[in-house]
Amino acid sequence: MKHFFPTTSVRRALPAAAALLLAAGAAPARAASQDPVTGDWLQLSVTRDTSPTRDTHGTLLLCAPPEGHRRAAEACDQLATANGDLRAFPAAKDTICTLVYAPVTVRASGRWNGRPVEYAETFGNACEMKARTGAVFALDEAETAGAVAPGA
């Protein structure tokens, strides 16, 4: 049994079928390109450069509601005060750090008030990092290594 399709009908149907397939395939691609996280958020990492394995800790800091690490609420408040600009943080005046060189590199990328945020900096030690970035990179207990209490 032979089936015949008129060639003109097939030629007319092909563009319509192609357009339908393209439209169906484009919808999932658009949905996948949108940020999965909404609101203010930063992907944070802290790398201790003196470790033989370059010890890195990281987390996703969310600010609505604050979560991601043990000082998330404080970190989100500090970021809100600086409008998400980590370079605008004031240095802590009541912290005295030792001069031990144990470099720490921090990175932050994400969105704040709808704007992209990219930040990376290397500090001489964890105490200097804490004095300059407050609670934002407080990802582990070792963050205060090298700090000396005022008057000590």
Side-chain angles (χ1 to χ4, degrees):
M1 176 188 262
K2 284 189 171 180
H3 292 291
F4 256 105
F5 293 104
T7 56
T8 55
S9 298
V10 172
R11 284 186 200 147
R12 285 186 204 146
L14 281 177
L20 183 61
L21 288 172
L22 285 173
R30 263 195 313 261
S33 69
Q34 294 176 354
D35 281 337
V37 180
T38 59
D40 297 331
W41 62 273
L42 293 175
Q43 179 66 49
L44 306 172
S45 70
V46 176
T47 303
R48 303 207 185 283
D49 295 338
T50 56
S51 168
T53 60
R54 291 184 51 104
D55 185 27
T56 299
H57 297 275
T59 192
L60 177 64
L61 174 66
L62 302 172
C63 288
E67 57 185 300
H69 62 72
R70 63 186 176 88
R71 294 177 62 192
E74 185 181 355
C76 290
D77 287 345
Q78 291 171 341
L79 284 161
T81 300
N83 198 26
D85 184 2
L86 287 151
R87 289 172 183 79
F89 276 34
K93 295 179 182 174
D94 60 348
T95 303
I96 300 170
C97 299
T98 63
L99 296 177
V100 174
Y101 184 67
V104 177
T105 301
V106 296
R107 286 182 173 69
S109 63
R111 296 195 75 69
W112 194 269
N113 289 336
R115 292 186 330 262
V117 173
E118 291 296 329
Y119 173 80
E121 190 164 347
T122 299
F123 298 95
N125 59 43
C127 178
E128 289 178 17
M129 174 198 70
K130 181 178 182 265
R132 288 287 305 152
T133 63
V136 175
F137 293 98
L139 306 184
D140 63 12
E141 293 296 327
E143 70 170 331
T144 56
V148 176

